[in-house]
Amino acid sequence: MSGQNVNTPPSLYPVPEAFAAQAYIGSRQAYDQLCAEAQKDHESYWARLAREFLSWKQPFTKVLDSSNAPFYKWFDDGLINASYNCLDRNVEAGLGDKVAIIFEADDGKVTRYTYKELLEKVSRLANALKAQGVKKGDRVVLYLPMSVEGVVAMQACARIGATHSVVFGGFSAQSLRDRIEDAGAVLVITADEQLRGGKALPLKAIVDEALAMGGCESIRQVIVFQRTGGNIQMQAGRDVWLHDVLAQQSAECPPEFVSAEHPLFLLYTSGSTGKPKGVQHSTGGYLLHAALTTKWTFDLKPDDVFWCTADIGWVTGHTYVAYGPLALGGTQIVFEGVPTYPDASRFWRMIESHQVTIFYTAPTAIRALIKAAETNEAVHPRKFNLTSLRLLGTVGEPINPAAWEWYHREIGGGRCPIVDTFWQTETGGHMITPLPGAHALKPGSCTLPFPGIDAAVVDEAGKEVPWGQGGVLVVRKPWPSMIRTIWGDPERFKKSYYPADFGGQYYLAGDGAIRDAETGYFTITGRIDDVLNVSGHRMGTMEIESALVSHPLVAEAAVVGRPDDLTGEAICAFVVLKRPRPTGDEAKQLANELRNHVAQEIGPIAKPKDIRFGDNLPKTRSGKIMRRLLRVIAKGEDVTQDTSTLENPAILDQLAQSN
Ligand code: 7RM
């Protein structure tokens, strides 16, 4: 191949010459130079980029404040507004009539929004929020479908300095209530219903249910976007229609400039213990990394059509839908529906019809679409013209090399680099990822840290391990878009991310990693805590256990993950009832009841795939559940470890046979 670099080991995919020639970061040398700049003076490097990428109302004078570490502050005395940076400055630069968002509805209807139109919508809603008494620093919960209105609502909050907290539309009333209460939100923005795969699913009714549960007395108003016209109850004095409030408001709203450290948003995510944590992000540092990574990782150019398929309910939808592409004045697709409706060619059809050039999705979607294409020629990507594509990306979970190869060959035509981007809700944006014009690719590896990110693989003592040896992934230096705290629980923030056993110095990602012996490339080996990754969705085992034991029949439950070809990991629950262990049809029926109960408590995405009933759980003599053994049983493998420390070794056979 002509693009082959002499230094590229043969198992790697070299950077295509044509791509490198036009890329912002077009060589390994250019990448190394940026890393060297950051290495030499971490603060000056980030300060330079913050000045280049963002427009400041008042420039910052201090870059990094470590005086209260690990509660780092970046660009603290700078004044900035995220919505100004995403909208006004693009309009001011002459991009007012450029299409910002191409919206494709579930039913295929397409609507385009220019930067000018988006700015108007955002300003109207921002004025409506102000009219409702929403003030700078107030929290606003968004429970919305994947929609332009969702992006507008986030931007409107940012415009007035309110802190948004988006709750994914698949979460239950209970989960929504918990988040509203924890955030102390003053207002909810929702829709009557959401449309997914031709089906209307309730949203407003779930908000009603959540607010009726109590604990949400801080809520003063509910704004309702009319999406389907479905039948819902409007509570007088509390609920108003979005179209009514927008019509009453002016299309001009001066942005509220805030400190760079002002909380732009909270986003709840699962941890290894009990309840979800409200990850708090800043305005300036976060927006910098959103813009910077969108530009360098995705090589986003003015003429690109960018499509990130993530829902705004997840962090990927925040950084690479609501903020990153807009901060750069890009054009992007917002898609309401699902990849399998009306059939499993929806993504490929949309790439062709919108001439998408950069496509970013999750391995779980790729695996599902591979399976569909294998059994149904009509939905095979080769039936579509995908030649507009120039770059592909993945996120959310490890991608298995076979799926990578298929994505590369069938979607990218062998011509498009794939950026396998490793990051987390807490990191705000990409941490370890190829820069497509600089790095030769290795399927299954996220390659090297983004310039300025000091990632390392260390042992339990915090000491770096040699390449080729597995360890724990840490980030040694603070970076601008890092999590600032856990809302309302700074102690938990410290304990979760800067625990004393790693010297308290390094950010602990919660993942294991190994670096390739020759290239130093990172491969993520999976979570090292009790967090599962099901279809790219983060789920705490304890959260699911709590949901199970809240059912009146359940005495005890233990949840583990097991590998799954389609979803990456599958949830496997071991349950002890308060009555004799059920078998046969009774077991099936009870398992279904428990699954529905978990859906009620958390949401359908948390439903266990397997539920096994036992008389007991395998425990040590001190009463600790041996999850390690449960993981072996969940996989369907034989327990070969020594089980002599178990209180009740006979339970293993029972659980193994209870499937
Ligand atoms: C963006 C996002 C974070 C967890 C993280 C990892 C896993 C994410 C990759 C990955 C291997 C990747 N935020 N993860 N990306 N594992 N390769 N490219 O997913 O907070 O929801 O999840 O997801 O375990 O810790 S998240």
Side-chain angles (χ1 to χ4, degrees), residues 316 395-398 420-425 511 527 533 538:
T316 307
V395 61
E397 54 182 321
D420 175 353
T421 61
F422 167 82
W423 60 294
Q424 308 174 296
T425 304
D511 284 285
R527 300 288 304 193
N533 192 324
R538 242 171 99 162

Side-chain angles (χ1 to χ4, degrees), residues 300-467:
L300 188 79
K301 302 275 166 49
D303 291 338
D304 275 310
V305 178
F306 177 78
W307 184 12
C308 165
T309 67
D311 192 283
I312 51 164
W314 308 110
V315 73
T316 307
H318 281 57
T319 307
Y320 301 108
V321 178
Y323 291 107
L326 297 179
L328 296 179
T331 296
Q332 68 174 321
I333 309 285
V334 169
F335 175 44
E336 178 177 42
V338 296
T340 49
Y341 178 83
D343 65 33
S345 70
R346 185 70 183 264
F347 278 180
W348 322 138
R349 192 178 300 279
M350 283 180 62
I351 289 170
E352 177 177 301
S353 67
H354 298 296
Q355 293 287 289
V356 171
T357 58
I358 305 171
F359 181 65
Y360 189 38
T361 197
T364 192
I366 298 167
R367 288 192 297 263
L369 297 176
I370 293 174
K371 201 171 158 200
E374 274 168 358
T375 53
N376 178 5
E377 181 63 18
V379 301
H380 198 285
R382 70 168 77 94
K383 295 277 172 194
F384 301 86
N385 183 345
L386 305 180
T387 52
S388 59
L389 288 170
R390 67 183 195 90
L391 179 64
L392 304 173
T394 78
V395 61
E397 54 182 321
I399 180 162
N400 44 310
W404 193 102
E405 305 270 2
W406 186 92
Y407 194 35
H408 189 258
R409 187 179 66 243
E410 304 293 342
I411 308 306
R415 144 194 107 252
C416 306
I418 297 178
V419 288
D420 175 353
T421 61
F422 167 82
W423 60 294
Q424 308 174 296
T425 304
E426 295 87 341
T427 69
H430 301 154
M431 297 301 277
I432 309 181
T433 176
L435 298 187
H439 298 318
L441 303 174
K442 182 181 163 199
S445 165
C446 50
T447 73
L448 294 171
F450 193 86
I453 300 299
D454 187 19
V457 182
V458 302
D459 62 19
E460 300 290 314
K463 193 171 161 288
E464 196 163 7
V465 299
W467 292 4

